[in-house]
Structure formats: C-alpha cells, structure tokens
Amino acid sequence: MSYDFTIIVPVYNEEDNLIRVEQALLDYTKIATRKTKILFVNDGSKDTSQDLIESICNRQTDFNYICFKENRGLSAAIKAGFDYVDTPLVGYIDSDLQTAPEDFNLLLEHIDTYDLVTGVRANRKDSFVKNMSSTIANGIRRAFTHDGMDDTGCPLKVIKTDYAKRIPMFKGLHRFLPAMILLQEGKIIQVPVQHFPRIAGTAKFGLWNRLLGPLMDCFAYLWMKKKYINYTVAKKG
C-alpha cells in the first residue's frame, strides 16, 4: 500500500493514554487528506507502553513501531522517526493528545507551498507556570534564531521528509526544527491549532526543560548555524 504521510508518535511511559491515541489516530486516518500511517517510537518506556503498542500494531494495519533499548529523550525519538520514515511527508504528535490529530489536515493544506508547517497552540490549556515559562523560552529562542515562530514547542508539525532527514539533530533540537529548515533555505509557516488539557499520564518537562535548558540549546544552535554545510547541486553526470 502506498502512503504519502507518516505521523511519528514519541512515547515515554504513556500507558494511560495509548488506547485513546489509537482511537484518535485511527479516526484521523479515515478523514486524512493524504494516505497516512502511524509510527510509534517508544523511547525506552518503563511501564506497559510497549505491550500496548505491540497490541495496537497487531490489530491496526496502518500502525507500526520502533522501540529504543533505553530512554534517550524526545529529540532522539523524533530523529529516529525521521530516519525510519519512507513517505514524502512526515509529521509528529505527542502521545498526551493535548493537540488534535484532525488538525493535521489544517497543516497539510500548506505543505505544497512550504517545507515545514507547524501548529501554534491557540488558547493553551496549561498551568500559568508552564505557559509563562514556554512564552519566555520562545522569546529567547526567537531572539537567537530569528525564525519568527511563536510556539516551536507545539507538538504538531508536518515537514517534507527530504528536509527532515537532513536535520543534524542533537538533544533539545526538537524546539529548533523551523530554524533548521531555514538553514536549508526552506520555507516555514505557523498555523493555529486546538489545544487541550492533559487528562492522563504525567508531563515529561519541568521548568528546567522548558526554560533553562532551551537557553543553553540556543548557544548550540548558534554554533551549528555558523558551521552548517549547505549546498545545491547544479549539474551531475
């Protein structure tokens, strides 16, 4: 079966959410504007997530998975997804379902014109501390990258796969995906999407991950920008 779009679903200790994730993504595949399949990336979960993932993939033909030997972090899970994807388009969504799979269709409307389309969470349903720390972190990152994006932490994105595979990932770089597409001279746009409160499981990021960590990552990005190799082949034979 030929697919056009792969949705990566990073998973780390999300046993309480995975049945909901299965149903939400199954419903989305029925209304998706591109032929879609799902790739779970189990980031070394220590609960029953892997057993649930295997059960889901056994009963759903459009679902597949890879499982890490140990926990390596969100950026590593996304990078592994990019490595394994074989469709022209790739996206990802968090397994907490604070964003809605059906909003992928809003992003896909723009992917023929742009190389990355990212959601921006409208009316965020998070705590004051989480919202404020994210707002500050986004402002700092935007000052470093000049990517013009208001919410790079939004876990709903669509990218042309050839661009995604060229991103030299490092830990924390999932917040810099739009900037990394700009380094490839690609085009990016942000689109408002829905946001919902987490109703099961626990958040994997605290104040350090959202604020101080990303500040340090900005300096890593600046180093990478200075050293980044980009070229265009004029002829070959």
Side-chain angles (χ1 to χ4, degrees):
M1 187 177 296
S2 178
Y3 295 91
D4 303 307
F5 180 40
T6 301
I7 298 174
I8 299 167
V9 187
V11 176
Y12 181 62
N13 294 344
E14 292 286 1
E15 61 185 5
D16 295 330
N17 278 316
L18 284 171
I19 299 304
R20 293 175 55 238
V21 170
E22 174 190 11
Q23 189 58 57
L25 289 171
L26 180 63
D27 290 345
Y28 174 68
T29 62
K30 298 173 182 176
I31 63 168
T33 55
R34 311 286 178 110
K35 182 62 177 173
T36 300
K37 62 180 176 178
I38 314 301
L39 177 64
F40 289 109
V41 181
N42 184 358
D43 183 20
S45 295
K46 297 177 175 61
D47 60 3
T48 63
S49 290
Q50 183 58 28
D51 292 336
L52 288 166
I53 288 170
E54 291 185 29
S55 296
I56 291 168
C57 294
N58 284 336
R59 60 178 173 259
Q60 305 296 351
T61 57
D62 296 331
F63 289 58
N64 210 334
Y65 73 88
I66 56 177
C67 180
F68 285 1
K69 183 178 180 180
E70 57 190 358
N71 176 243
R72 304 303 295 173
L74 178 57
S75 292
I78 294 171
K79 169 72 164 66
F82 289 169
D83 289 344
Y84 277 80
V85 162
D86 59 2
T87 52
L89 300 174
V90 59
Y92 78 87
I93 187 171
D94 277 356
S95 48
D96 58 16
L97 288 183
Q98 287 193 256
T99 50
E102 59 263 31
D103 283 349
F104 274 119
N105 283 348
L106 298 177
L107 307 189
L108 287 167
E109 288 179 10
H110 302 274
I111 198 60
D112 291 334
T113 304
Y114 294 88
D115 304 301
L116 175 145
V117 186
T118 183
V120 54
R121 290 166 286 190
N123 301 314
R124 286 187 64 172
K125 308 300 182 182
D126 289 322
S127 68
F128 173 80
V129 171
K130 185 174 181 180
N131 284 337
M132 184 57 64
S133 61
S134 294
T135 298
I136 294 170
N138 272 303
I140 294 170
R141 177 204 42 74
R142 195 164 50 245
F144 276 79
T145 64
H146 304 289
D147 61 9
M149 299 288 103
D150 297 314
D151 185 18
T152 60
C154 179
L156 202 73
K157 290 179 173 62
V158 176
I159 312 173
K160 289 177 179 171
T161 299
D162 56 347
Y163 281 83
K165 287 182 179 291
R166 291 196 296 265
I167 295 173
M169 295 287 282
F170 61 79
K171 188 174 182 179
L173 196 65
H174 61 275
R175 300 181 185 91
F176 293 80
L177 293 178
M180 296 308 298
I181 300 301
L182 289 179
L183 286 186
Q184 299 181 46
E185 299 179 355
K187 297 171 63 179
I188 63 176
I189 190 174
Q190 58 185 5
V191 176
V193 298
Q194 303 173 84
H195 190 247
F196 306 94
R198 178 186 269 272
I199 65 172
T202 57
K204 308 304 186 292
F205 293 94
L207 183 62
W208 169 262
N209 309 85
R210 295 194 196 97
L211 191 55
L212 300 179
L215 175 59
M216 297 171 62
D217 293 339
C218 284
F219 292 100
Y221 166 79
L222 288 181
W223 178 89
M224 181 176 291
K225 182 178 181 180
K226 183 177 180 180
K227 302 291 186 178
Y228 187 75
I229 295 172
N230 197 16
Y231 63 87
T232 301
V233 174
K235 284 185 177 182
K236 61 181 179 179

